[in-house]
């Protein structure tokens, strides 16, 4: 069913909320004028509820189907966590209430911090980053601050493997570093030799994703960490793929100096169509003194927030967010963590890796796996199996939609041609995986049988057929404008 | 483990398919010394749902819930009433458990609400275009300053003394590491600051806030004219978005970028997060804008549809040349904002703003009547500054013990500044009844 | 997408809840044996959530589309009401807690009772019936008890118009009465003459729906009530259609002795695919003393429950439900009522009637309306406009589904041929009504144009095409049985 | 009014289409004297959402919430822990806001869960078939007695002294008006009753309960044999459905109809309602069964699907000859039951039952150790009867003042019966911690 834009449903004169008359008509606006009409549409509550319900019905979610987006760790989102985050004692408290009135909230942050530190084996954690990329920023700022404190502010080069997520080089550049790319080996890994070849006195750090974006554990990680440390640099680990090792491997044991943890991946806080996330960063002893404000400490009379540099023991590099971090996500993550415990989290990693390897082993005869197995939590394929079929990875992915599955990640990582990256996560059952595998085998065979037109026309069963992304970017329409006013808000071309 | 659907039999059969003996074989690339033989020591094992509920409920009851007491805190986070339908729609799995809409054919729900959100933000701020949200107001402000730097190729940013100090700190931290020259002005409790004279031809931007931290309202039209004359941009920050239901929008004053904290609409206080940053600008700057953007297009059958667009600005395409490293935005918080604002509509949003203002006016009058208490503001929206005869932090602590949350002492935000320790920021929204206000008045009478 | 039965998803060995070990292994089962395997399927939580999410996606609801089922009053269900019903102070209290610990709950029941009595103008209300039909039972039992108390237990005949809901005759029979049918007039109403012709010393009561099931107000209702009273009988009013008059007309002013109120219709407690409902019954002074147990009274030291005949002032006819009634529905209904107030409820009736008349007026040129207008809250059509087209009302209704609308009620009331009964309710906007009208006009014209095959093949876009109801009834399969056990549980034929 | 989408302009335009001047003209069939000129007097006008929340929250806080205190009430309603996912699925609009599945093509969701529910109920009770739910356990029991009357064409029903007295009263009320002869036995706190001898060839059915009101467990195999020999049916009532996770099901004892209160699985206490009645019987009786039934069939393409079936038994087809007047059932409560039981599964449900029993055994041992307190039961599931040295109702009132909800005094249910006033029913579920139990023990020590 078609659903108009909320603006097109405008029915001036109805209201969707009932509000009383203002208490007084006196105003204190000084010289600022009251504004005129804004242009918001008027709708009654039933119309609003139906509008957004119908919009939701145009989406896939984990609740409705397997959503094996590689790198995104789309696992089950327990509703218990939502319920806990909505306890008024967490959701209805203000960040600047007196500390004496928020002891439970501070204790919760402290407990989550304790879990994150113990799971990773790291001595400190910065809780406030708002997402994974924000965590990367935090980590690189801590490295920047540590280098400055050492008087080595001249170290401006950051090593990034070519397989890295785009956030890594973007973050490094954001912090004023230059990016130096390490080529991938044929086996999808980074070699200690390639790293050593790049090391030098101007290297600030290496940013390494592990398991890496090909779904592989970097076997030389310890040697790489040692080499970087020896050269005076730090080791930033991108923790986007932490789900593969949580509870089984402590990043501290790999020589990591800083690693962000996407609570919305490994710890299942819902991704909600693009956030909010949360990206706490665990820090080594070398970097811990530079952790940003604010943070929670436990004193004699309870928990306390350190909000100002003057009160800090170390040398915090600054502040990253308006308040103390994504409290709502902390509650959900702790709820998830307590539900799993040390035993369950270990099983999470185990089953995530098992599921990915099962997919890899079951499909590698009909699809092409560039690096063979075993993999970690993701199974990577390339488009070799589509060669000569006229079917692109995009076509292949769109055909999956009509079979009821969300596609995997496509065309990433860039180190293989036409990548198809499948991350099933541990919360998919074997029977769902078997259906998924059967569907992909069927599609792969269909592609090889030469039915390219079938794939090129997919998807057919969705609210929209394929959308013209080129047109969207060429002449951007980024907002609705009333039809009576023909001037459209378009970006400069 | 209730979330794990594999049985031991499944695992055995899957290992056989893979062709290895044990799961450990799959972890063979992990250096041997780093392979833990069992669960990580020092942590408890899994708990049932009832036990988790008990544990977390116990923590939650150690906090004093805003809704249970007379409550007057603001300073960038506001307690408003959110209709029940907002949260229920949010909890629909199709919204809650979906990812970034990379596959537009099965994400039209998310994409359409983002397009609606962008339009709402543009309308509220009076700007041309808006992005699909930022983490919060402070990070949005820092991104705005960096954007001004990209646009003007200039290095200096002037931050108003009325800007929320956390926004200032985030901007200093973020832009400082990039090597920008951030000139933050001293706190401006009187609301008399004039920044036009500071703008020179090295200035990338001026960052101002209305209502200011201290509650003062400003018309920045003259400032915009002056700044533009020097080739500088003006970034207007709004930490209480409800004010835009009553006041001239920054777009009409000539602002180049507007950043708001959107928490007030649709989102709970949440002890400070997650919140949602609104980010709007002029059409001509759109390709320098950070963050995700949703755009309108057509599908293969010519039907209107929506996609993420202009991603060539973004990190996953442009890598180190991206406009920002931002990836995740605040999708669900933006959805809450969009639903709540749709329920309010023109009439409701404007009335909500008027109620907020009227309640604050009423409270200011009551407080002004107290001996030794001075209201500093000539103008305000729903928050204002009072000067108490004693240190505000102590007064707030005492009232908290009586279950009154009286406001934010300025010293909480500016601990080192002299002359501010007697100032208290007091906010009043539609959720405050007159009996709440009277409780505050009586409480203050007692402790002052 | 297909979704298996939950039993077919069984994966023995997984759990969907984590429960601790029992505190002790001692048992006190006496001579009763512990049971063996039950046969329930084992699933993990993600599988269960996905299963029921996918099932839900096969349903229409008011949230997703207009649902104009005549007689069912499918109006918007505000989520505020759900939130209020889940306040722990209402949802987490036991019906047998000491009265001193449930004063708020008793006060809520008292407040709702006050609203229902004032809105209807009636002196008493029995709150405990669990649904509309249960309310009818309550009303007829009160009449039965009142007749017995008068020594007129011989009055065993109940007059029921032929247009009545099936529950009316069923309820009368359930209470041991015989049913005597009053024929409908050509104008869809019941005439006072037809009633008088049936009255006699053995008549217990008349059961009249008003507005009636044709969507018409009975204009002679007052005369009918007077005639019945004069003949020594009572007037039971079926309140299923109360939404048409709530806040505008008090049933007491029409001479009603008893009327049930479907809280799940007029007062918007969600129908939830078939319940739970709630059917309080307002009672006249003549019937009030016979109201069933338990009920709430307000004494000197607060609210009190009268649970036993010995404590009652009147002569309660007994008990109808395990406990005190559908408390969860009471909370929702009061939340709805307070949200509307006296002014809003009057507007509810006004807009419900206006919407129905708008549909009637807009469609009567292409569809056939047996009784013309004005109607009350429902617009009734018959199948005259389909004559000779080969399209049945059922076909017509199924074609609406493919256009995104839930069909109206079909083949009821029985007094017109091929009835199509449309109840839009007050919560549909004019723009939705306009779409609905345009769709029906289009379909009516298509039917007349002779495209019967199109209708006979509808619906096409649903999870299932038309289902074989005859086969289902001929050889009933009422439960799943494991395929390994070929014996199927089938009802006797 | 936020729920009403018509504007005044809409109304005017619609009236013009209809061809009348005013809405009042549409009400012309209402007798003039009954037409009210304005809102009904004596009632307030509409309130905003915030005001309604305040009003109802205030009422709710006047109640002592079970979850906040040591809590031991049962007697037909039990406090169990329901996973959060149950309620969230229930709140999905497609379930919550749908009607009875009259249009099966757009109601397969509702129909399939009803089919799953019927199967679960049949499995739990050990019976062949079950219906799609009743209002609650007591109404189900009355319907079962009427069904026995239809099947046997006999008029007499014998009700056990272990049957919950509310079930007895509902049965007496409902079947009494139909002219049945209901022979209710005296209360049986000792659990020694034997009804086999009372069955004669006038007896339609015997209604028994296990666990009984007083907690005793029974095997009714012998009773069933004896009753069947006389041509009578046996109806077994279960008010605590969790007991079926541990105990021999009534179907294996030879029961003809099994009625349960299903509240314990998936449903909150709700001060007594809405609850959900489970109703199961033998295959051969299905056409005499009251209530809705969902059946499996195929669609026009041969795919499995579900429909409401055997509706010729029902009132909307059969009118005064229907098996029952029942129309609405407890669909959403049945859904809650089905989801919760699906989460529990074989392993979880059986363990839940064992935990309940173990906790009750532990509590019974603790209470038996109290001076003057006697546990009457040789057998029980999660509830048992203790004899106190004082009137139980007074003890319960005193403990309630100390925020302990100790149980149900038998006198609340049997006020007129001598010898029962010192008896207290005590239930203990998985939600009771040992510290709850110890609080009860200490509380009793104090007040006894």
């Amino acid at each position: 069913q078609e659903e108009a834009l909320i603006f097109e449903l405008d029915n001036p004169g109805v209201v969707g909320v009932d509000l009383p008359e203002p208490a007084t008509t006196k105003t204190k606006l000084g010289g600022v004028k009251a504004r005129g009409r804004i242009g918001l549409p008027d709708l009654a509550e039933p119309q609003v509820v139906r509008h957004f319900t119908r919009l939701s019905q145009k989406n896939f979610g984990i609740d409705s189907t397997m959503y094996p987006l590689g790198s995104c760790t789309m696992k089950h989102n327990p509703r218990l966590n939502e319920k806990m985050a909505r306890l008024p004692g967490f959701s209805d408290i203000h960040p600047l209430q007196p500390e004496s009135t928020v002891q439970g909230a501070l204790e919760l942050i402290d407990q989550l911090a304790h879990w994150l530190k113990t799971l990773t084996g790291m001595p400190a954690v910065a809780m406030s980053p708002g997402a994974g990329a924000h965590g990367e920023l935090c980590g690189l700022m801590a490295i920047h601050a540590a280098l400055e404190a050492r008087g080595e502010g001249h170290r401006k080069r950051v090593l990034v493997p070519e397989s890295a997520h785009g956030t890594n080089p973007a973050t490094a550049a954001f912090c004023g570093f230059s990016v130096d790319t390490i080529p991938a080996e044929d086996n999808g890994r980074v070699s200690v030799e390639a790293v050593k070849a790049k090391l030098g006195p101007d290297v600030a750090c290496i940013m390494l994703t592990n398991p890496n974006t090909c779904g592989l554990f970097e076997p030389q990680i310890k040697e790489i960490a040692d080499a970087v440390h020896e050269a005076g640099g730090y080791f930033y680990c991108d923790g986007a793929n932490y789900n593969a090792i949580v509870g089984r491997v402590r990043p501290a044991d790999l020589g990591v100096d800083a690693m962000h943890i996407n609570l919305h991946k490994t710890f299942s806080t819902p991704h909600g169509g693009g956030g909010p996330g949360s990206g706490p960063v665990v820090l080594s002893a070398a970097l811990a003194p530079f952790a940003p404000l604010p943070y929670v400490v436990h004193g004699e009379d309870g928990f306390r927030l350190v909000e100002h540099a003057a009160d800090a023991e170390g040398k915090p590099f600054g502040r990253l967010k308006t308040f103390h971090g994504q409290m709502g996500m902390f509650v959900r993550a702790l709820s998830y963590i307590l539900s799993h415990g040390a035993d369950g989290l270990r099983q999470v990693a185990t089953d995530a890796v098992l599921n990915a390897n099962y997919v890899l082993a079951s499909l590698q005869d009909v699809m092409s796996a560039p690096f063979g197995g075993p993999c970690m939590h993701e199974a990577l394929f390339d488009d070799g199996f589509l060669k000569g079929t006229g079917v692109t990875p995009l076509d292949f992915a769109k055909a999956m939609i009509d079979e009821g599955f969300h596609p995997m990640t496509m065309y990433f990582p860039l180190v293989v041609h036409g990548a198809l990256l499948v991350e099933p996560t541990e919360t998919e059952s074997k029977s769902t995986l078997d259906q998924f595998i059967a569907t992909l085998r069927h599609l792969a065979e269909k592609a090889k049988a030469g039915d390219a037109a079938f794939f090129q026309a997919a998807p057919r069963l969705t609210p929209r057929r394929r959308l013209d992304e080129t047109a969207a970017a060429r002449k951007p329409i980024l907002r609705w404008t009333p039809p009576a006013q023909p001037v459209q808000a378009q970006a400069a071309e | 483990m209730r979330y794990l659907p594999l049985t031991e039999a499944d695992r055995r059969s899957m290992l056989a398919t893979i062709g290895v003996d044990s799961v450990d074989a799959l972890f063979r690339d992990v250096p041997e010394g780093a392979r833990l033989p069992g669960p990580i020591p020092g942590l408890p094992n899994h708990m049932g749902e009832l036990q988790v509920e008990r544990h977390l409920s116990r923590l939650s009851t150690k906090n004093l819930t805003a809704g249970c007491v007379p409550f007057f805190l603001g300073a960038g986070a506001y307690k408003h009433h959110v209709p029940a339908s907002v949260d229920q729609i949010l909890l629909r799995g199709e919204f809650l458990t979906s990812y970034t809409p990379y596959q537009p054919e099965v994400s039209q729900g998310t994409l359409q609400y983002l397009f609606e959100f962008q339009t709402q933000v543009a309308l509220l701020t009076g700007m041309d275009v808006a992005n699909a949200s930022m983490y919060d107001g402070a990070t949005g402000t820092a991104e705005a300053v960096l954007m001004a730097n990209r646009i003007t190729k200039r290095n200096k940013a002037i931050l108003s003394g009325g800007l929320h100090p956390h926004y200032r700190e985030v901007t200093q931290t973020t832009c400082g590491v990039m090597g920008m020259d951030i000139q933050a002005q001293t706190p401006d409790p009187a609301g008399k600051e004039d920044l036009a004279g500071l703008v020179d031809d090295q200035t990338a931007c001026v960052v101002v806030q209305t209502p200011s931290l201290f509650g003062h309202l400003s018309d920045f039209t003259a400032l915009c004219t002056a700044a533009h004359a020097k080739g500088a941009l003006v970034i207007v920050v709004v930490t209480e978005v409800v004010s835009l239901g009553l006041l001239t929008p920054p777009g009409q004053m000539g602002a180049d970028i507007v950043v708001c904290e959107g928490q007030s609409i649709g989102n709970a206080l949440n002890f400070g997060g997650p919140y949602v940053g609104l980010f709007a600008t002029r059409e001509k700057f759109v390709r320098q804008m950070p963050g995700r953007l949703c755009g309108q297009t057509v599908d293969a059958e010519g039907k209107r549809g929506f996609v993420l667009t202009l991603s060539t600005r973004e990190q996953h395409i442009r890598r180190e040349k991206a406009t920002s490293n931002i990836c995740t935005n605040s999708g669900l918080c933006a959805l809450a904002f969009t639903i709540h604002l749709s329920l309010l509509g023109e009439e409701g949003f404007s009335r909500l703003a008027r109620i907020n203002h009227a309640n604050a006016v009423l409270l200011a009058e009551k407080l002004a009547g107290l001996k030794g208490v001075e209201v500093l503001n000539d103008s305000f929206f729903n928050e204002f500054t009072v000067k108490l005869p004693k240190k505000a932090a102590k007064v707030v602590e005492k009232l908290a013990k009586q279950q009154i949350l009286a406001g934010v002492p300025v010293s909480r935000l500016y601990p080192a500044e002299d002359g501010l320790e007697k100032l208290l920021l007091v906010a009043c929204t539609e959720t405050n009844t007159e009996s709440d206000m009277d409780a505050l008045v009586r409480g203050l009478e007692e402790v002052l």
Side-chain angles (χ1 to χ4, degrees), chain A residues 125-129 138-139 141-142 281 283 287-296 306 312 315-321, chain B residues 173:
Chain A
V125 60
M127 296 298 287
S128 66
C138 174
M141 284 180 171
V281 179
L283 297 168
L287 297 181
F290 307 98
L293 299 165
Y295 54 82
V296 176
V306 176
K315 299 174 181 171
F317 68 71
R319 171 182 282 271
L320 282 174
K321 247 186 140 278
Chain B
T173 302

Short mmCIF file of all heavy atoms in Angstrom, two decimals, chain A residues 125-129 138-139 141-142 281 283 287-296 306 312 315-321, chain B residues 173:
data_model
loop_
_atom_site.label_atom_id
_atom_site.label_comp_id
_atom_site.label_asym_id
_atom_site.label_seq_id
_atom_site.Cartn_x
_atom_site.Cartn_y
_atom_site.Cartn_z
N VAL A 125 38.37 2.28 30.72
CA VAL A 125 37.42 2.41 29.62
C VAL A 125 36.82 3.81 29.63
O VAL A 125 36.50 4.34 30.69
CB VAL A 125 36.32 1.32 29.69
CG1 VAL A 125 35.52 1.42 30.98
CG2 VAL A 125 35.39 1.40 28.47
N ALA A 126 36.72 4.39 28.44
CA ALA A 126 36.04 5.68 28.28
C ALA A 126 34.63 5.37 27.81
O ALA A 126 34.45 4.75 26.76
CB ALA A 126 36.77 6.54 27.25
N MET A 127 33.64 5.79 28.57
CA MET A 127 32.27 5.35 28.29
C MET A 127 31.50 6.28 27.37
O MET A 127 30.47 5.90 26.82
CB MET A 127 31.50 5.22 29.62
CG MET A 127 32.03 4.16 30.55
SD MET A 127 31.93 2.47 29.86
CE MET A 127 30.16 2.17 29.98
N SER A 128 31.94 7.51 27.20
CA SER A 128 31.03 8.49 26.60
C SER A 128 30.86 8.45 25.07
O SER A 128 29.86 8.98 24.59
CB SER A 128 31.40 9.91 27.04
OG SER A 128 32.65 10.29 26.53
N PRO A 129 31.75 7.86 24.28
CA PRO A 129 31.53 7.96 22.83
C PRO A 129 30.16 7.44 22.39
O PRO A 129 29.66 6.45 22.93
CB PRO A 129 32.68 7.11 22.25
CG PRO A 129 33.76 7.23 23.25
CD PRO A 129 33.05 7.23 24.57
N CYS A 138 37.73 8.90 19.85
CA CYS A 138 38.18 8.93 21.25
C CYS A 138 39.55 8.27 21.36
O CYS A 138 40.47 8.81 21.98
CB CYS A 138 37.15 8.21 22.11
SG CYS A 138 37.63 8.02 23.83
N GLY A 139 39.67 7.09 20.76
CA GLY A 139 40.93 6.36 20.85
C GLY A 139 42.07 7.15 20.22
O GLY A 139 43.16 7.27 20.80
N MET A 141 42.20 10.35 19.72
CA MET A 141 42.50 11.55 20.51
C MET A 141 43.34 11.21 21.73
O MET A 141 44.22 11.98 22.12
CB MET A 141 41.21 12.23 20.94
CG MET A 141 40.55 12.99 19.79
SD MET A 141 39.03 13.76 20.35
CE MET A 141 38.66 14.77 18.91
N ALA A 142 43.06 10.04 22.34
CA ALA A 142 43.87 9.62 23.49
C ALA A 142 45.32 9.39 23.03
O ALA A 142 46.27 9.77 23.72
CB ALA A 142 43.28 8.35 24.11
N VAL A 281 35.37 2.91 24.76
CA VAL A 281 36.71 2.57 24.31
C VAL A 281 37.54 2.08 25.49
O VAL A 281 37.72 2.82 26.46
CB VAL A 281 37.41 3.80 23.69
CG1 VAL A 281 38.82 3.46 23.24
CG2 VAL A 281 36.59 4.33 22.53
N LEU A 283 41.05 1.11 27.21
CA LEU A 283 42.36 1.76 27.06
C LEU A 283 43.42 1.03 27.88
O LEU A 283 43.14 0.55 28.99
CB LEU A 283 42.27 3.21 27.54
CG LEU A 283 41.33 4.14 26.76
CD1 LEU A 283 41.11 5.44 27.53
CD2 LEU A 283 41.88 4.41 25.35
N LEU A 287 47.47 4.72 27.85
CA LEU A 287 46.52 5.71 27.35
C LEU A 287 45.49 6.13 28.40
O LEU A 287 44.85 7.18 28.25
CB LEU A 287 45.80 5.16 26.12
CG LEU A 287 46.68 4.86 24.89
CD1 LEU A 287 45.82 4.34 23.74
CD2 LEU A 287 47.47 6.10 24.45
N ALA A 288 45.31 5.33 29.43
CA ALA A 288 44.25 5.57 30.41
C ALA A 288 44.25 6.99 30.98
O ALA A 288 43.18 7.58 31.15
CB ALA A 288 44.33 4.53 31.53
N PRO A 289 45.42 7.58 31.28
CA PRO A 289 45.38 8.91 31.91
C PRO A 289 44.75 9.98 31.03
O PRO A 289 44.38 11.05 31.53
CB PRO A 289 46.86 9.24 32.15
CG PRO A 289 47.56 7.92 32.10
CD PRO A 289 46.79 7.07 31.16
N PHE A 290 44.64 9.69 29.75
CA PHE A 290 44.15 10.72 28.82
C PHE A 290 42.67 10.56 28.49
O PHE A 290 42.13 11.28 27.66
CB PHE A 290 45.01 10.69 27.55
CG PHE A 290 46.47 10.78 27.86
CD1 PHE A 290 47.29 9.66 27.92
CD2 PHE A 290 47.03 12.02 28.19
CE1 PHE A 290 48.63 9.75 28.26
CE2 PHE A 290 48.38 12.12 28.53
CZ PHE A 290 49.18 10.98 28.57
N ALA A 291 42.01 9.61 29.14
CA ALA A 291 40.59 9.34 28.87
C ALA A 291 39.78 10.62 29.05
O ALA A 291 40.06 11.45 29.92
CB ALA A 291 40.09 8.26 29.81
N PRO A 292 38.77 10.79 28.22
CA PRO A 292 38.01 12.05 28.24
C PRO A 292 37.08 12.16 29.45
O PRO A 292 36.78 11.16 30.11
CB PRO A 292 37.18 11.96 26.96
CG PRO A 292 36.99 10.49 26.74
CD PRO A 292 38.27 9.85 27.21
N LEU A 293 36.61 13.34 29.68
CA LEU A 293 35.61 13.64 30.70
C LEU A 293 34.22 13.41 30.10
O LEU A 293 34.07 13.52 28.89
CB LEU A 293 35.73 15.10 31.14
CG LEU A 293 37.07 15.49 31.77
CD1 LEU A 293 37.20 17.00 31.82
CD2 LEU A 293 37.21 14.87 33.15
N PRO A 294 33.23 13.16 30.89
CA PRO A 294 33.27 12.84 32.31
C PRO A 294 33.47 11.35 32.52
O PRO A 294 33.35 10.58 31.59
CB PRO A 294 31.88 13.26 32.77
CG PRO A 294 31.02 12.93 31.58
CD PRO A 294 31.86 13.17 30.37
N TYR A 295 33.81 10.95 33.73
CA TYR A 295 33.82 9.52 34.05
C TYR A 295 33.41 9.32 35.51
O TYR A 295 33.37 10.27 36.29
CB TYR A 295 35.16 8.89 33.73
CG TYR A 295 36.38 9.56 34.34
CD1 TYR A 295 36.77 9.30 35.65
CD2 TYR A 295 37.16 10.44 33.58
CE1 TYR A 295 37.88 9.90 36.20
CE2 TYR A 295 38.28 11.05 34.12
CZ TYR A 295 38.64 10.78 35.43
OH TYR A 295 39.75 11.39 35.97
N VAL A 296 33.10 8.08 35.81
CA VAL A 296 32.57 7.74 37.13
C VAL A 296 33.70 7.19 37.99
O VAL A 296 34.48 6.36 37.52
CB VAL A 296 31.45 6.68 37.00
CG1 VAL A 296 30.97 6.24 38.38
CG2 VAL A 296 30.30 7.23 36.17
N VAL A 306 33.43 12.61 37.61
CA VAL A 306 34.49 13.60 37.39
C VAL A 306 34.16 14.30 36.07
O VAL A 306 34.17 13.68 35.01
CB VAL A 306 35.87 12.93 37.32
CG1 VAL A 306 36.94 13.96 36.98
CG2 VAL A 306 36.17 12.24 38.64
N ALA A 312 40.31 15.82 37.80
CA ALA A 312 40.76 14.53 37.27
C ALA A 312 42.13 14.17 37.78
O ALA A 312 42.95 15.05 38.04
CB ALA A 312 40.76 14.59 35.74
N LYS A 315 45.20 13.28 32.74
CA LYS A 315 45.16 14.49 31.91
C LYS A 315 44.15 14.30 30.79
O LYS A 315 44.51 14.07 29.64
CB LYS A 315 46.54 14.73 31.28
CG LYS A 315 47.65 14.94 32.28
CD LYS A 315 48.99 15.03 31.56
CE LYS A 315 50.14 15.23 32.54
NZ LYS A 315 51.44 15.09 31.87
N PRO A 316 42.87 14.35 31.14
CA PRO A 316 41.83 14.06 30.14
C PRO A 316 41.99 14.95 28.92
O PRO A 316 42.31 16.12 29.03
CB PRO A 316 40.53 14.37 30.88
CG PRO A 316 40.90 15.07 32.14
CD PRO A 316 42.31 14.72 32.44
N PHE A 317 41.79 14.34 27.74
CA PHE A 317 42.01 15.12 26.52
C PHE A 317 40.85 16.04 26.20
O PHE A 317 40.93 16.84 25.28
CB PHE A 317 42.33 14.22 25.33
CG PHE A 317 41.20 13.34 24.85
CD1 PHE A 317 40.10 13.89 24.19
CD2 PHE A 317 41.24 11.97 25.04
CE1 PHE A 317 39.07 13.08 23.73
CE2 PHE A 317 40.20 11.16 24.58
CZ PHE A 317 39.11 11.71 23.93
N GLY A 318 39.78 15.95 26.95
CA GLY A 318 38.65 16.84 26.72
C GLY A 318 37.33 16.14 26.93
O GLY A 318 37.21 15.24 27.77
N ARG A 319 36.33 16.56 26.17
CA ARG A 319 34.97 16.03 26.30
C ARG A 319 34.45 15.70 24.90
O ARG A 319 34.72 16.43 23.94
CB ARG A 319 34.09 17.10 26.96
CG ARG A 319 32.60 16.79 26.97
CD ARG A 319 31.78 17.92 27.60
NE ARG A 319 31.85 17.91 29.05
CZ ARG A 319 31.00 17.22 29.82
NH1 ARG A 319 30.02 16.52 29.29
NH2 ARG A 319 31.12 17.26 31.14
N LEU A 320 33.67 14.63 24.82
CA LEU A 320 33.21 14.15 23.51
C LEU A 320 31.71 14.28 23.27
O LEU A 320 31.25 14.18 22.14
CB LEU A 320 33.60 12.68 23.31
CG LEU A 320 35.05 12.43 22.94
CD1 LEU A 320 35.31 10.93 22.93
CD2 LEU A 320 35.38 13.04 21.58
N LYS A 321 30.96 14.41 24.35
CA LYS A 321 29.51 14.41 24.18
C LYS A 321 28.90 15.38 25.17
O LYS A 321 29.49 15.72 26.18
CB LYS A 321 28.97 12.99 24.45
CG LYS A 321 28.39 12.36 23.19
CD LYS A 321 27.72 11.05 23.44
CE LYS A 321 26.45 10.93 22.64
NZ LYS A 321 25.31 11.59 23.26
N THR B 173 37.62 20.27 22.09
CA THR B 173 38.28 18.97 22.00
C THR B 173 38.39 18.53 20.55
O THR B 173 39.46 18.13 20.07
CB THR B 173 37.48 17.93 22.79
OG1 THR B 173 37.37 18.37 24.14
CG2 THR B 173 38.15 16.57 22.73
#
